Amino acid sequence: MLLNDTLQQLRELRLAGMAAALEEQLTNSACAALGFEERFALLVDRETNHRHDRRLTALLKRARLKYPQACIEDAQAGTARGLNRTAFTQFALSRWVEQGLTVVIIGPTGSGKSWLACALAQQACRREHSALYLRVPRLAEELRILHGKGGFATWLAALARTEVLVLDDWALAPLEPAARADLLEVIDDRAGTRSRATILTTQLPVDHWHAWLGDPTIADAILDRLLSNEHRIQLKGESLRRATREDTTKTGGNPTHQ
């Protein structure tokens, strides 16, 4: 009865990980040989991991990544692709989010830009940073809806609190004047702010961004804020989608990972 009361109290205190670990200890004869401090340390460790896993699940759900399973450990690298694996995996150790870095991933269609961006965002979530994935070509329509419903200010404030923002397919399609002004608001909220990193994927070289943005004044403001603290990844090579299709055909429907 006492044990059942203890388990119930742990759950009421929202210590589900500790409660589960305690039940496992009671059925594991090997744990009987451990001292109180060792067993208690295992309970605390289990609760810590349980909370981290729950937090990660919530962050990934909120991020709405196009490739939620993408992780930097699986990134394909090599001189033919232009991706230095050592340099890329340094993101796992560096403080790029805290430094408010802009990561620009440039490459032809199918080169894996979106996947790499999602891998970086997923890594940020694993380090308990919030993230959000947006496709720039769809942004204009979404912003029109937000303005129409009167929800733009609320959305903008929530976005400003998001620590990692992925802007996928940057400069893929022409930008409307209203969306251009809204984009400046988004970028301005993040500029010079610690723990507010931005990831851009694009086919268009940076030198052509000013012309794509159109309005010289807004273009100057956006580019100055984005590129003042930038890390650039230049990809090359054939489409990975084509390679995956060919690999699927050769292996009878078992494609290799990205």
Side-chain angles (χ1 to χ4, degrees):
M1 181 64 70
L2 178 60
L3 177 60
N4 290 334
D5 290 343
T6 300
L7 290 171
Q8 180 62 29
Q9 288 173 334
L10 287 173
R11 295 189 178 99
E12 289 175 355
L13 291 169
R14 298 184 179 180
L15 298 172
M18 189 175 288
L22 178 58
E23 288 182 304
E24 290 177 9
Q25 285 190 10
L26 294 171
T27 60
N28 188 342
S29 58
C31 289
L34 299 177
F36 171 79
E37 292 83 358
E38 294 171 306
R39 293 183 65 172
F40 188 70
L42 290 173
L43 296 179
V44 174
D45 184 66
R46 178 66 169 273
E47 180 63 31
T48 300
N49 291 334
H50 176 73
R51 293 192 177 201
H52 174 74
D53 290 345
R54 287 186 60 187
R55 172 71 172 160
L56 176 59
T57 299
L59 287 170
L60 289 174
K61 182 178 180 180
R62 196 176 305 135
R64 302 201 301 268
L65 300 179
K66 184 177 182 179
Y67 301 107
Q69 301 304 320
C71 60
I72 60 177
E73 294 87 348
D74 291 338
Q76 293 180 0
T79 55
R81 193 181 178 197
L83 180 65
N84 184 305
R85 182 179 180 85
T86 301
F88 185 70
T89 52
Q90 283 300 311
F91 280 101
L93 306 174
S94 69
R95 299 175 59 84
W96 61 279
V97 178
E98 293 87 341
Q99 294 165 354
L101 194 66
T102 297
V103 181
V104 180
I105 306 176
I106 307 174
T109 183
S111 58
K113 302 182 297 296
S114 300
W115 190 94
L116 288 176
C118 289
L120 286 175
Q122 192 244 40
Q123 174 64 24
C125 290
R126 284 157 63 183
R127 300 189 67 168
E128 301 196 350
H129 295 295
S130 59
L132 181 65
Y133 171 94
L134 296 173
R135 284 197 71 241
V136 178
R138 294 179 184 168
L139 197 55
E141 179 60 27
E142 293 175 359
L143 291 172
R144 277 197 297 269
I145 294 172
L146 284 168
H147 280 294
K149 293 181 177 180
F152 176 73
T154 302
W155 176 84
L156 192 63
L159 197 61
R161 294 191 296 270
T162 301
E163 294 170 283
V164 177
L165 176 62
V166 179
L167 294 174
D168 198 12
D169 288 331
W170 175 270
L172 184 64
L175 201 61
E176 298 177 1
R180 186 187 304 135
D182 288 341
L183 192 58
L184 174 58
E185 294 297 319
V186 171
I187 300 301
D188 185 63
D189 281 345
R190 312 185 69 75
T193 304
R194 293 184 64 82
S195 297
R196 296 295 183 272
T198 306
I199 305 172
L200 306 176
T201 75
T202 183
Q203 299 180 40
L204 190 68
V206 175
D207 292 344
H208 297 281
W209 287 8
H210 198 282
W212 170 71
L213 286 165
D215 185 296
T217 303
I218 292 180
D220 285 343
I222 289 177
L223 296 183
D224 178 67
R225 287 159 174 76
L226 277 178
L227 303 179
S228 60
N229 184 22
E230 172 214 1
H231 178 86
R232 198 172 302 184
I233 300 173
Q234 181 76 53
L235 300 179
K236 57 185 179 179
E238 297 182 356
S239 170
L240 293 177
R241 296 189 187 95
R242 185 182 305 115
T244 299
R245 286 195 297 268
E246 292 174 354
D247 184 71
T248 301
T249 301
K250 293 177 181 178
T251 59
N254 296 308
T256 58
H257 64 261
Q258 174 67 301

